[in-house]
Amino acid sequence: MYENENCGRWDWRRQPLGQEEVGELRNLLLECQQVSLVVGSDRVIWSLDEDSGFSVKSLKNGMVDNGGAMDNYVMEWNNWVPSKVGIHAWRVEMERIPVWFELLKRGIAVSLTVCPICEEEVESAEHLMISCRFAQHVWSVISTWCKVPSIYAFTIRDLLEMHRYTCFSKRKEKAFYAVCLTTIWCVWRARNALVFEGNPIILNNVAGEIKALSYLWVKHRGKNTSLSWEMWRGFKL
Ligand SMILES: [Zn+2]
């Protein structure tokens, strides 16, 4: 609850979670404090073009002028994995998967807020795929298997772009990217199996599933018909 002369009395459904939300709340309250109410009838204004009002053109111009507000990121698609796997990674990148943090942000009551795997931090897409201890173990297995330097990612985008910074041939780079997309897919599946079916998460099982699924997809969808399981186990393409 919050009260001041301009804002009236807030009655939030829940307390803000994490630094980001606390910062957003503080900014909101600061904005509200700058509002001065006057007598007269209300009217709607469009701050990007106060004379003419809203138009798509003024919105577009405002976004271009603002630079950072225009997100030009285009995810690279990989037809060696099924489209559902690529779409899932794309949704993870946009933070559009139903982890607890996202459900809470949308006002959905959930009984749990911490990561169901490590139970140490609020579960966000980034936590689940990057900073969770389990995710770190998985990426460590992947980097050892594929013989790439240790994977240090700060954002999901880093995970989706790291194949570009390998010294692999184009074909091997695409296979490594397929492995990364498969990893994001399998971590999410393992998390869901834990949450909805109570299946414990076992690193070796998840790593085995990543290797087996990516082998199937890279061999058959990528038409790498001569690729044997032995070669794949050594990530030799
Ligand atoms: Zn965790």
Side-chain angles (χ1 to χ4, degrees):
M1 288 184 196
Y2 181 86
E3 197 165 5
N4 80 2
E5 61 177 301
N6 288 333
C7 299
R9 187 165 178 270
W10 300 107
D11 185 7
W12 303 107
R13 286 161 73 180
R14 64 171 173 80
Q15 291 300 312
L17 288 168
Q19 286 297 319
E20 189 182 352
E21 284 193 10
V22 170
E24 286 173 353
L25 176 60
R26 191 166 45 230
N27 289 341
L28 171 68
L29 297 177
L30 281 172
E31 294 265 335
C32 290
Q33 281 170 358
Q34 289 163 21
V35 173
S36 50
L37 301 176
V38 293
V39 178
S41 53
D42 294 338
R43 68 187 178 96
V44 176
I45 61 161
W46 175 245
S47 61
L48 292 175
D49 187 346
E50 293 193 20
D51 297 329
S52 308
F54 173 79
S55 69
V56 173
K57 186 181 171 190
S58 68
L59 174 62
K60 187 181 169 195
N61 289 342
M63 290 173 76
V64 170
D65 290 345
N66 203 15
M70 197 80 165
D71 192 343
N72 292 320
Y73 179 70
V74 178
M75 186 182 134
E76 189 183 328
W77 297 94
N78 186 327
N79 60 4
W80 287 4
V81 296
S83 46
K84 66 182 179 185
V85 176
I87 290 168
H88 171 72
W90 180 51
R91 292 181 65 211
V92 171
E93 200 279 323
M94 292 192 301
E95 300 184 340
R96 293 285 196 278
I97 54 167
V99 284
W100 300 137
F101 181 68
E102 295 303 322
L103 295 177
L104 274 171
K105 257 177 35 183
R106 288 159 177 76
I108 298 168
V110 291
S111 55
L112 199 67
T113 58
V114 293
C115 168
I117 302 174
C118 68
E119 299 181 348
E120 288 174 358
E121 286 182 43
V122 172
E123 188 200 43
S124 64
E126 238 170 56
H127 171 81
L128 190 65
M129 297 296 167
I130 297 173
S131 55
C132 182
R133 278 187 291 121
F134 174 71
Q136 290 178 17
H137 287 311
V138 172
W139 289 115
S140 172
V141 169
I142 299 300
S143 67
T144 304
W145 167 41
C146 298
K147 302 179 190 69
V148 295
S150 296
I151 293 167
Y152 295 110
F154 297 98
T155 63
I156 303 293
R157 201 168 294 184
D158 291 341
L159 294 177
L160 298 176
E161 290 185 335
M162 61 189 174
H163 62 283
R164 296 179 189 166
Y165 306 105
T166 61
C167 299
F168 293 149
S169 64
K170 278 286 162 208
R171 182 163 157 267
K172 195 165 179 177
E173 181 187 312
K174 187 168 180 178
F176 178 60
Y177 186 35
V179 168
C180 296
L181 295 172
T182 307
T183 302
I184 292 170
W185 173 255
C186 289
V187 168
W188 180 241
R189 276 168 53 93
R191 177 268 188 200
N192 284 342
L194 170 68
V195 170
F196 300 113
E197 293 159 43
N199 294 344
I201 289 198
I202 298 165
L203 178 64
N204 283 345
N205 292 356
V206 176
E209 187 184 36
I210 293 166
K211 289 180 186 176
L213 276 179
S214 56
Y215 172 65
L216 268 178
W217 292 335
V218 168
K219 181 181 172 81
H220 297 293
R221 298 178 61 88
K223 299 188 172 47
N224 294 293
T225 47
S226 60
L227 182 65
S228 68
W229 175 242
E230 280 308 308
M231 289 163 68
W232 187 248
R233 278 178 58 197
F235 203 63
K236 293 175 184 154
L237 280 95

